[in-house]
Amino acid sequence: MSTEILGISSMATRLLLAELTTAYESASGTRVRIESVGGVDAAKRVAAGEAFDVVVLASDAIDKLIAAGHALAGSRVDLVHSGVAIAVPVGAAQPDVSSEAAVRAAVLAAKSISYSTGPSGVALAKLFERWGIADEIQSRIVTPAPGIPVGSLVAKGADNGGVALGFQQLSELIHVEGIRILGPLPEAIQITTTFSGAVCATSRQPEAVRELLRYLAAPQAADAKRRQGMDPA
């Protein structure tokens, strides 16, 4: 068995995986290196056959990789549930986001808006369509470049090349300086993404990867997951 596991993940789980894999290395003696990039890019690289052992992405992306034969059938392990929060630049007005109606009003009032290009962003765009405001706000939406967190755009502010209102997984906002998190999306419209891991078809050490995934899903990882703004799956 190799003493190094190579992996790729989306940015949403970057800090959590860094913490947990460091602990796993100490406990097991197996080195783990996980590259975190934009989720769409991560899935493309796995699908292209790049030599990874493990992949951690939104569960629907994992399922697509498994269906296409790029990850091993039966290897998916759900790790965390991650919800979306709302942020504004530090010092900016703090709109009410305590209800669905309040969030809709805040979006309509915002000078500029940004949200993830991943699953949560797709769901948010559908919400704006359901509210009947998608066309009205289209010109104010700033799409982040791959791998660029929404929080960094919020931190710049609307008058400095950034945005006035940002929506992103809480796990990707809680450590960003220069922003104020207003709170999670209200329960009625909360968007929860499950992130899962799987063994890549290119792995030559699938059992070692399964052991890592068992560790990442185990009860002792729960506190780290909550510290990073997520809930254990």
Side-chain angles (χ1 to χ4, degrees), residues 5-79:
I5 293 173
L6 300 178
I8 191 166
S9 80
S10 58
M11 295 299 289
T13 54
R14 177 178 63 88
L15 295 176
L16 173 65
L17 291 174
E19 179 177 347
L20 290 179
T21 56
T22 297
Y24 183 73
E25 286 179 357
S26 298
S28 68
T30 299
R31 188 180 181 200
V32 183
R33 287 199 295 125
I34 296 182
E35 180 182 357
S36 295
V37 299
V40 174
D41 286 345
K44 285 180 179 177
R45 289 172 63 180
V46 173
E50 203 165 326
F52 293 112
D53 294 301
V54 65
V55 56
V56 178
L57 292 170
S59 57
D60 60 342
I62 293 291
D63 288 344
K64 289 176 183 176
L65 290 172
I66 290 173
H70 302 304
L72 300 187
S75 71
R76 171 181 152 181
V77 176
D78 293 342
L79 302 175

Side-chain angles (χ1 to χ4, degrees), residues 84-85 107 112-126 128-129 134 137-138 140-145 148-151 153-154 163 165-169:
V84 171
V107 170
S112 51
I113 305 148
S114 187
Y115 52 83
S116 166
T117 56
S120 62
V122 172
L124 198 64
K126 290 180 180 177
F128 295 156
E129 289 176 4
I137 66 172
Q138 183 59 45
R140 289 183 270 145
I141 292 175
V142 178
T143 302
I148 300 299
V150 170
L153 296 178
V154 176
V163 297
L165 190 69
F167 295 82
Q168 181 66 298
Q169 313 260 338

Side-chain angles (χ1 to χ4, degrees), residues 5 14 28 31 43 49 69 80 83 85 100-101 104 121 134 136 158 169 178 203 213 217 228:
I5 293 173
R14 177 178 63 88
S28 68
R31 188 180 181 200
V80 290
E100 179 174 354
R104 184 179 185 276
E136 183 176 350
Q169 313 260 338
S203 179
L213 289 173
Q228 297 297 340

Side-chain angles (χ1 to χ4, degrees), residues 86 88 92-98 102 106 165 182:
I86 311 168
V88 296
Q94 298 175 42
D96 177 17
V97 294
S98 62
L165 190 69
L182 301 177

